[in-house]
Amino acid sequence: MVLEILTRAARLLPLLFCAAAADLPPGSRIDPTAERFPEQRLRSEIAGGRQSYLVALGNTAFSSPLLFGEPARSAGLSCNSCHVNGHNNREFHIPGHSARPGGLDPAGPLFNRAADDGVFAHVDIPSLRGIRFLAPYGRDGRIASLREFARHVIVVEFAGPEPTPEILDALVAYMNEFEFLPNPRLAGDGALTGPKSPAEAAGEPVFAARCAGCHVPGTAFSDGRAHDVGSDGRFRTPTLLNIAESAPYGHDGRWADLAAAVEGHAPLPAPDRDALLAYLEAIGGVEEPSGPATFRGEMAELATYVGLLDETLRRQDVPTTRFVVGTVQAELRRVRRAFPDGDAARLAARPDRRKRLPLDYAALEAGLEAVALRAEAGEAASAQVALDAYHDLAERMVANYPRPGR
Ligand code: HEC
Ligand code: HEC
């Protein structure tokens, strides 16, 4: 009798462990904050175009927990959790695995026990803006290509299945679109333009003499080489563009602000240091670094992902159809966490709509499921009908929240 209970319990045990592993430690913050959503500029959109199929697929994959294995997948983690809109996530924090907000130990035991190097080493999440100018990759520049880096992240760090060549191509095509946000004060060669404050003017020659050998002015302010600047190892020179809003600094976020970063390289006489700081703030500045996330913006982004389905259905590409559907379903859950009531103020005035919203989120998820199920059954035409119904519903849902900007 006892034996029977024990064997039954033992059979249940793996299940219990699975369930526990799916949860991140209490207090984990992996979703981007809705109040401070980094702006993003894509090359094709600047050129006035739309995202190509491959870029849109990469954009979708970048937000997809389905690339990863457990527990990252069930936790809803994606590239975009950490590299929000291609930038970083200063609030990201997993108790026990992050030494401070904004990073984690990427070779720790949490996401892939087999890849745990046994050393707790917090790494600050880097921005990926301008990433195509910043090879070789990784804080220490150990990986030559973006493609290899992406594969490494998926398979090694997050225990995901081997990605298809198309998904890797798509991720690379998407990341190659990431531009630095514009800084109207900088010319293409990295020189400050327009009127300069006395401190900025004094900082420019100090920078040229003491910093420009590694932070080479120009497209990226980096020589692409690894150096030891006294921060416990050799690291690839980071860019100085768009850094005004990306504190903390250094590979492990050891420098809380720009003053600490400058001081951390080598002590300077105070006047030089103050002038350098003024100069750094000018070259690292961004016009509009971030804004609040909006329900409309989130739904427009999802519409880009869902737009892929017209093409995947036409191609009868069932695996990609399922991948896009699964990704958008996971994203809908994240959007629902960020906007549980949509535009709360407006909904408060319309109780009938408040009641409808949760239903609509569920209906969107179910509508997409119908698309995937029909595609899997080989019924492309009826999948298309389900897709049209989804579009109608999504449009009505957005129209329910008409306050401009939200
Ligand atoms: C849990 C947070 C997290 C997730 C999820 C994540 N990254 Fe990263 N990413 C980091 C950190 C931390 C680093 C720095 C790691 C290092 O230097 O080894 C990094 C580095 C990178 C770099 C190199 C940047 C540089 O300046 O050299 C690229 C490219 C990159 N990630 C792409 C991705 C892609 C693609 C995904 C999804 C498949 C992804 N990341 C998912 C945290 C994350
Ligand atoms: C020998 C090459 C070299 C020189 C010279 C140099 N740096 Fe750096 N700099 C680096 C490296 C490498 C790092 C990254 C260190 C790390 O990640 O721990 C870095 C990091 C930084 C950062 C932090 C950026 C970030 O996003 O984390 C700032 C700011 C910076 N340097 C400014 C300067 C200034 C100002 C000077 C001149 C006083 C200077 N550097 C001189 C190589 C150099």
Side-chain angles (χ1 to χ4, degrees), residues 50-313:
R50 296 175 37 147
Q51 295 174 29
S52 68
Y53 176 81
L54 197 64
V55 168
L57 181 60
N59 188 352
T60 307
F62 201 79
S63 283
S64 184
L66 302 180
L67 291 184
F68 297 156
E70 295 300 346
R73 181 187 292 222
S74 297
L77 194 75
S78 71
C79 311
N80 206 52
S81 313
C82 293
H83 304 288
V84 186
N85 275 347
H87 193 47
N88 59 9
N89 179 353
R90 290 169 63 175
E91 267 75 41
F92 186 93
H93 191 249
I94 302 183
H97 303 269
S98 307
R100 55 180 70 87
L104 79 166
D105 175 7
L110 179 59
F111 293 116
N112 187 357
R113 217 162 262 287
D116 179 12
D117 62 3
V119 182
F120 179 64
H122 176 99
V123 185
D124 190 57
I125 301 167
S127 173
L128 303 183
R129 289 182 190 151
I131 194 69
R132 67 183 184 282
F133 303 116
L134 293 169
Y137 298 106
R139 290 285 190 173
D140 51 3
R142 68 192 181 283
I143 294 186
S145 79
L146 215 41
R147 189 186 174 86
E148 200 190 327
F149 200 96
R151 184 193 167 274
H152 172 84
V153 170
I154 294 168
V155 177
V156 180
E157 289 179 1
F158 297 102
E162 189 64 42
T164 63
E166 188 186 35
I167 288 291
L168 284 179
D169 287 347
L171 278 171
V172 170
Y174 177 58
M175 289 190 282
N176 276 330
E177 293 265 313
F178 296 172
E179 293 289 8
F180 292 110
L181 298 188
N183 175 353
R185 299 209 52 200
L186 269 188
D189 61 359
L192 266 189
T193 56
K196 295 170 204 158
S197 73
E200 288 165 2
E204 203 160 17
V206 181
F207 186 85
R210 310 211 40 165
C211 321
C214 299
H215 299 283
V216 188
T219 327
F221 280 78
S222 169
D223 61 357
R225 296 224 170 92
H227 305 271
D228 184 347
V229 294
S231 58
D232 298 329
R234 292 174 62 81
F235 300 99
R236 188 207 57 212
T237 309
T239 182
L240 298 180
L241 296 177
N242 286 201
I243 60 165
E245 288 264 319
S246 60
Y249 303 104
H251 67 282
D252 54 359
R254 62 177 54 205
W255 298 315
D257 52 28
L258 287 176
V262 174
E263 199 65 18
H265 282 54
L268 285 169
D272 280 0
R273 193 192 54 216
D274 295 347
L276 257 183
L277 278 178
Y279 174 78
L280 276 183
E281 274 158 25
I283 60 169
V286 169
E287 243 181 345
E288 263 187 74
S290 59
T294 65
F295 180 71
R296 268 165 192 269
E298 294 276 21
M299 293 301 282
E301 184 71 6
L302 293 194
T304 302
Y305 308 166
V306 173
L308 289 165
L309 292 175
D310 290 317
E311 185 62 21
T312 63
L313 291 179

Side-chain angles (χ1 to χ4, degrees), residues 309-392:
L309 292 175
D310 290 317
E311 185 62 21
T312 63
L313 291 179
R314 199 188 59 74
R315 293 183 189 180
Q316 305 197 347
D317 179 349
V318 176
T320 308
T321 300
R322 176 47 85 179
F323 176 73
V324 172
V325 164
T327 302
V328 176
Q329 288 173 328
E331 279 289 90
L332 281 168
R333 274 166 243 146
R334 185 184 61 74
V335 173
R336 186 180 195 159
R337 285 196 295 276
F339 296 95
D341 291 317
D343 182 342
R346 193 169 184 102
L347 282 170
R350 297 289 308 269
D352 52 324
R353 285 183 177 171
R354 175 188 279 285
K355 251 191 266 121
R356 256 185 55 200
L357 184 65
L359 272 182
D360 285 352
Y361 272 118
L364 285 180
E365 262 198 58
L368 281 175
E369 189 60 28
V371 175
L373 287 174
R374 290 175 188 184
E376 280 159 358
E379 299 160 11
S382 94
Q384 188 65 52
V385 172
L387 182 56
D388 293 342
Y390 171 90
H391 283 309
D392 283 350

